[in-house]
């Protein structure tokens, strides 16, 4: 058994530089104005990170969080000053463990680093004409991408080249015709597709900007999706984009955030199409990087599949939801998946001989890229 462990360790080193799903960097790094006193920028930095992790903007509604905002210094690990667009800024690194512990204690779900990359199709109504906002240097597009990045939401734009424009029109995007939208999006292999429509509306005699969006949302426990629609209005572009970004963060966090429990459970995850120890190491490392997963142990390895014991602080349904954004794993289309949302409380004994099909809590197919 010892040589086997040594081989696994060597393979872990070999795969150390590989990237699995999109894992958002700097979730615990805040960017705040330096033109405020120390207590203010520390509080703002902590609030910024908590909102990014939870989608909650009205933090004062949570007394324990509000109290910590007044004493945010203990969460600050380091900071640096910088100049950005002619203004003085502070880049602040906060303590991830302390923040996660705080949110766990308050029973607040945390949206971890595994996040879907969203493909944005953006159309603007100008008088009677609809146009794609194609250029990343467009003021509205720049604000959108910047605001989404600040909230830890990976987003990318189409090329809008001849291939795109032959398949998709501005009206298709505006009206939400999902068949051509999905067809044009295939080449980009996004985790999620979103359409944005920018126009003006009149409310109470005032002209406001409106940003409407439609996006895919995965149906829990399946490989299917549904369409979610929403909109925001504001008096100016900056306010509009900020409102959109915050609303989207709140939506996605509500769908994907997980509650960390102080109690651990062990689930049996079977992965098909595993043919080598390299595949085993890839999947083991992938699972271990998920928020709430404490340990991953290979419990059985056959010619075509492997079973892992996953020691977790999150429910199986939450683990399954996170893995929807992992391109290397696809939920197996089997009858056993009807049990995927069942909470398993019995611990796994690796010394016991188990049947791969009947004892698995979830089954996936490994996809090589």
């Amino acid at each position: 058994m010892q040589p086997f462990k040594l081989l696994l360790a060597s393979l872990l080193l070999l795969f150390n530089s590989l990237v699995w799903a999109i894992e958002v960097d700097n979730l615990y790094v805040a960017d705040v104005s330096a033109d405020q006193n120390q207590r203010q920028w520390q509080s703002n930095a902590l609030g910024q990170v908590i909102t990014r992790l939870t989608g909650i903007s009205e933090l004062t509604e949570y007394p324990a969080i509000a109290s910590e905002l007044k004493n945010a210094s203990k969460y600050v690990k380091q900071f640096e000053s910088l100049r950005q667009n002619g203004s003085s800024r502070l880049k602040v690194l906060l303590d991830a463990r302390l923040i996660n512990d705080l949110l766990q204690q308050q029973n607040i779900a945390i949206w971890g680093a595994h996040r879907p990359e969203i493909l944005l199709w953006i159309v603007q109504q100008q008088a009677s004409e609809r146009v794609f906002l194609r250029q990343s240097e467009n003021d509205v597009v720049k604000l959108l991408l910047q605001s989404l990045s600040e909230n830890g939401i990976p987003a990318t734009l189409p090329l809008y080249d001849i291939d795109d424009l032959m398949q998709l029109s501005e009206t298709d995007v505006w009206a939400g015709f999902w068949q051509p939208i999905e067809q044009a999006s295939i080449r980009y292999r996004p985790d999620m597709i979103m359409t944005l429509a920018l126009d003006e509306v009149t409310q109470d005699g005032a002209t406001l900007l409106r940003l409407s969006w439609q996006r895919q949302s995965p149906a829990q426990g399946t490989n299917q999706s549904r369409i979610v629609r929403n909109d925001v209005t504001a008096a100016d572009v900056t306010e509009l984009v900020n409102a959109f970004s915050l609303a989207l963060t709140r939506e996605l966090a509500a769908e994907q955030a997980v509650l960390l429990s102080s109690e651990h459970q062990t689930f049996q995850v079977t992965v098909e199409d595993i043919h080598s120890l390299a595949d085993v190491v890839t999947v083991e490392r992938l699972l271990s990087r998920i928020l709430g997963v404490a340990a991953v142990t290979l419990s059985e390895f056959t010619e075509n599949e492997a079973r892992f014991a996953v020691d977790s602080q999150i429910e199986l349904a939450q683990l399954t939801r996170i893995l929807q954004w992992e391109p290397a794993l696809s939920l197996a289309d089997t009858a056993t998946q009807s049990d995927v949302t069942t909470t398993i409380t019995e611990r796994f004994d690796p010394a016991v001989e188990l049947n791969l099909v009947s004892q698995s809590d979830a089954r996936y197919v490994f996809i090589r890229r």
Side-chain angles (χ1 to χ4, degrees):
M1 189 66 181
Q2 189 65 24
F4 180 72
K5 289 182 177 178
L6 289 174
L7 179 56
L8 279 178
S10 299
L11 287 168
L12 279 171
L13 290 174
L14 176 64
F15 286 90
N16 191 52
S17 62
L18 291 183
V19 176
W20 315 122
I22 287 188
E23 292 185 62
V24 178
D25 295 327
N26 300 327
L27 280 182
Y28 297 86
V29 176
D31 182 337
V32 295
S33 170
D35 298 327
Q36 50 190 331
N37 64 44
Q38 184 179 50
R39 187 170 180 176
Q40 287 174 328
W41 67 253
Q42 289 175 342
S43 175
N44 288 336
L46 178 58
Q48 186 180 119
V49 168
I50 290 177
T51 296
R52 186 185 297 150
L53 294 171
T54 65
I56 299 171
S57 58
E58 299 300 329
L59 298 177
T60 54
E61 295 179 2
Y62 296 79
I65 301 295
S67 176
E68 292 301 292
L69 291 176
K70 297 176 182 177
N71 300 282
S73 59
K74 67 181 181 182
Y75 293 91
V76 176
K77 296 183 71 172
Q78 63 185 58
F79 64 93
E80 64 174 327
S81 301
L82 50 90
R83 294 287 293 178
Q84 183 178 318
N85 299 325
S87 63
S88 298
R89 309 291 299 176
L90 290 171
K91 188 175 183 180
V92 187
L93 173 63
L94 294 108
D95 192 307
R97 182 186 61 81
L98 287 180
I99 293 175
N100 288 352
D101 286 348
L102 171 64
L103 296 174
Q104 180 181 347
Q105 291 163 10
Q106 298 305 312
N107 205 35
I108 297 175
I110 305 169
W111 187 18
H114 282 72
R115 301 188 172 196
E117 183 178 38
I118 304 175
L119 179 68
L120 302 176
W121 296 94
I122 310 172
V123 172
Q124 183 174 16
Q125 176 91 40
Q126 297 178 327
S128 60
E129 185 181 10
R130 294 169 185 153
V131 296
F132 282 124
L133 297 186
R134 305 187 190 185
Q135 303 300 322
S136 59
E137 292 305 308
N138 176 280
D139 289 342
V140 175
V141 175
K142 284 175 64 176
L143 281 172
L144 280 168
L145 295 178
Q146 179 183 342
S147 186
L148 291 174
S149 176
E150 289 172 353
N151 281 278
I153 301 176
T156 188
L157 299 173
L159 295 174
Y160 293 111
D161 59 9
I162 189 64
D163 291 334
D164 287 342
L165 301 180
M166 286 287 290
Q167 297 186 77
L168 192 63
S169 70
E170 292 89 342
T171 298
D172 291 332
V173 172
W174 187 272
F177 295 146
W178 277 91
Q179 185 173 352
I181 292 170
E182 290 180 333
Q183 188 63 37
S185 301
I186 289 175
R187 61 189 293 206
Y188 299 103
R189 300 172 70 176
D191 296 316
M192 181 182 291
I193 306 168
M194 174 180 285
T195 67
L196 299 177
L198 182 66
D199 66 348
E200 293 183 348
V201 293
T202 301
Q203 294 182 359
D204 300 325
T207 300
L208 299 175
L209 295 174
R210 178 174 62 183
L211 186 58
S212 308
W213 65 93
Q214 300 183 42
R215 64 176 177 86
Q216 296 171 316
S217 176
Q220 186 173 320
T222 74
N223 289 322
Q224 305 301 312
S225 63
R226 61 192 177 94
I227 303 302
V228 175
R229 298 172 175 84
N230 206 344
D231 67 79
V232 292
T233 57
D236 61 67
V237 172
T238 301
E239 183 184 347
L240 183 75
V241 168
N242 289 339
F244 157 72
S245 184
L246 183 58
L248 182 60
T249 303
R250 188 163 48 243
E251 282 183 11
L252 295 176
E255 293 178 356
Q256 301 167 31
V258 298
L259 280 170
L260 296 181
S261 171
S262 57
E263 306 246 342
H264 287 230
Q265 303 176 73
T266 299
F267 305 117
Q268 312 307 316
V269 176
T270 297
V271 182
E272 302 171 7
D273 204 19
I274 296 283
H275 300 302
S276 67
L277 286 177
D279 292 344
V280 169
V281 171
T282 297
V283 173
E284 191 174 71
R285 186 163 178 260
L286 180 158
L287 292 171
S288 67
R289 294 168 69 93
I290 293 173
L291 177 68
V293 171
V296 180
T297 305
L298 176 66
S299 52
E300 189 167 344
F301 180 26
T302 68
E303 181 180 356
N304 187 55
E305 61 187 31
R307 186 174 65 241
F308 301 88
V310 180
D311 182 13
S312 173
Q313 290 180 266
I314 60 177
E315 299 291 343
L316 181 59
Q318 295 178 322
L319 177 63
T320 302
R321 193 162 62 233
I322 294 173
L323 288 175
Q324 288 175 117
W325 312 120
E326 176 48 60
L329 291 178
S330 176
L331 198 64
D333 186 17
T334 66
T336 61
Q337 290 307 320
S338 62
D339 299 326
V340 78
T341 58
T342 302
T343 300
I344 307 299
T345 56
E346 295 182 2
R347 287 198 164 272
F348 170 66
D349 182 355
V352 178
E353 184 70 24
L354 295 176
N355 180 280
L356 275 169
V357 174
S358 63
Q359 296 298 321
S360 292
D361 299 323
R363 294 182 68 87
Y364 288 87
V365 178
F366 179 57
I367 301 172
R368 292 166 187 78
R369 292 272 173 154

